[in-house]
Amino acid sequence: MENYQYETSPRKLDPDYNKSNKRSKTKTKNKKLKVVKELPRQEVKLSKSQKKTQMKLIAAAIVALGVLLAISYQNSQISVKFSEIQSQKQELAALQKENEQTEVNIENSLNFSNIEQEAKNRLGMSKLTNKQTVYVTLPKKDYIESASEKVKINEEDKKNWFEKIIDAILNRN
């Protein structure tokens, strides 16, 4: 009576279902699962047009990557040059400040009384008196010689190097 069904539609049985296998199912659950080795995949054959489009996409991706790398490299070089410029501007500002300070120091030391004091104390100098003045009279003759008297034009000086070589060859014969 186990097989009797009260329903109007018949029950579908699993294809692996056996009455005697009820116990074996519980045993298989406890057993370790076997690892199925992966079967080699079937190679999918692509048409020539599909291969061309794939190659175009790959080439476009490589070109885009190259462009991005070039832009990135250029931006890094710009950053390096910008930092160099900034450091040199700071160095220039420091040198200009030092230069201005030195100019102020020089202007302060160029006071006439300071110079006179240094000349007297350090160098032992004194002011010029009227007795030390010596007047010199020079004759009013002009010592400048005119260029037309002394200029002698040498024909050898006017020749260029090529003409000098030709003359040397012809004069030997």
Side-chain angles (χ1 to χ4, degrees):
M1 286 207 135
E2 281 182 28
N3 290 335
Y4 186 74
Q5 295 181 358
Y6 293 102
E7 298 174 354
T8 56
S9 62
R11 208 180 243 186
K12 294 181 181 176
L13 297 176
D14 291 335
D16 295 334
Y17 182 77
N18 285 332
K19 286 184 184 180
S20 61
N21 270 349
K22 279 187 178 180
R23 289 183 185 169
S24 65
K25 278 189 178 180
T26 57
K27 287 181 182 177
T28 56
K29 285 182 183 178
N30 294 335
K31 287 183 181 179
K32 292 183 180 178
L33 297 176
K34 291 182 181 178
V35 176
V36 178
K37 292 183 180 178
E38 192 173 309
L39 298 174
R41 294 183 181 179
Q42 292 180 351
E43 292 185 20
V44 178
K45 293 186 179 180
L46 300 174
S47 67
K48 289 183 179 180
S49 63
Q50 287 175 334
K51 286 182 182 179
K52 284 182 182 179
T53 56
Q54 274 186 342
M55 292 304 289
K56 286 180 182 178
L57 288 174
I58 292 170
I62 291 172
V63 168
L65 180 65
V67 168
L68 290 175
L69 288 174
I71 290 171
S72 175
Y73 178 74
Q74 183 180 16
N75 285 341
S76 68
Q77 291 299 320
I78 288 171
S79 299
V80 167
K81 293 297 181 186
F82 182 74
S83 63
E84 286 177 9
I85 289 171
Q86 291 301 321
S87 65
Q88 289 194 353
K89 280 183 180 180
Q90 290 174 350
E91 185 179 342
L92 176 65
L95 288 174
Q96 285 176 339
K97 188 175 181 180
E98 182 181 335
N99 193 16
E100 289 173 3
Q101 185 66 33
T102 306
E103 286 178 2
V104 168
N105 290 340
I106 289 172
E107 286 177 11
N108 289 339
S109 67
L110 287 181
N111 188 357
F112 186 70
S113 61
N114 289 345
I115 293 173
E116 187 177 351
Q117 199 69 313
E118 284 291 319
K120 284 181 183 178
N121 295 337
R122 237 174 72 195
L123 302 175
M125 298 177 122
S126 62
K127 283 192 174 186
L128 188 65
T129 62
N130 286 337
K131 293 179 183 177
Q132 295 172 327
T133 306
V134 176
Y135 293 100
V136 178
T137 57
L138 297 174
K140 294 189 178 188
K141 180 182 174 188
D142 192 12
Y143 290 104
I144 299 174
E145 296 177 10
S146 63
S148 62
E149 295 174 1
K150 296 249 178 164
V151 176
K152 185 177 182 183
I153 299 174
N154 190 357
E155 292 296 323
E156 289 292 321
D157 293 339
K158 287 187 176 181
K159 292 181 182 179
N160 64 16
W161 63 273
F162 185 69
E163 290 173 345
K164 289 179 183 178
I165 292 174
I166 290 176
D167 286 344
I169 293 172
L170 293 177
N171 289 339
R172 286 186 184 174
N173 294 335

